[in-house]
Amino acid sequence: MKTELLYDRYDTRQMEVEELKVLIWRYFLSYWNNRRICSANGGLPPMVKRRQYYEALEVAA
């Protein structure tokens, strides 16, 4: 995460703690939970796998 988000993109030494918290929180909300490729999900991002799961529940019901 540090390489993808912080290194070579932001001068973290000049940032305040609250700025870093917001930056990291946004990273997790936008990328980590929605778009990253996860090998445990068959190479699908978590959001896609979650959507497939709920669609399968609707079909089974």
Side-chain angles (χ1 to χ4, degrees):
M1 181 194 86
K2 288 189 256 182
T3 302
E4 294 173 358
L5 177 64
L6 299 174
Y7 297 154
D8 297 329
R9 291 185 181 200
Y10 299 97
D11 185 9
T12 54
R13 290 171 285 170
Q14 301 297 324
M15 296 177 84
E16 294 187 16
V17 173
E18 287 302 316
E19 290 176 301
L20 285 169
K21 285 181 182 180
V22 168
L23 191 64
I24 292 168
W25 180 249
R26 286 183 182 165
Y27 173 80
F28 276 107
L29 286 180
S30 69
Y31 174 73
W32 191 259
N33 289 333
N34 298 314
R35 296 187 309 243
R36 73 181 163 90
I37 301 301
C38 185
S39 60
N41 291 339
L44 297 172
M47 185 59 90
V48 172
K49 189 67 173 180
R50 203 171 300 127
R51 188 178 309 123
Q52 289 178 348
Y53 171 76
Y54 286 116
E55 287 172 357
L57 286 179
E58 289 175 5
V59 171

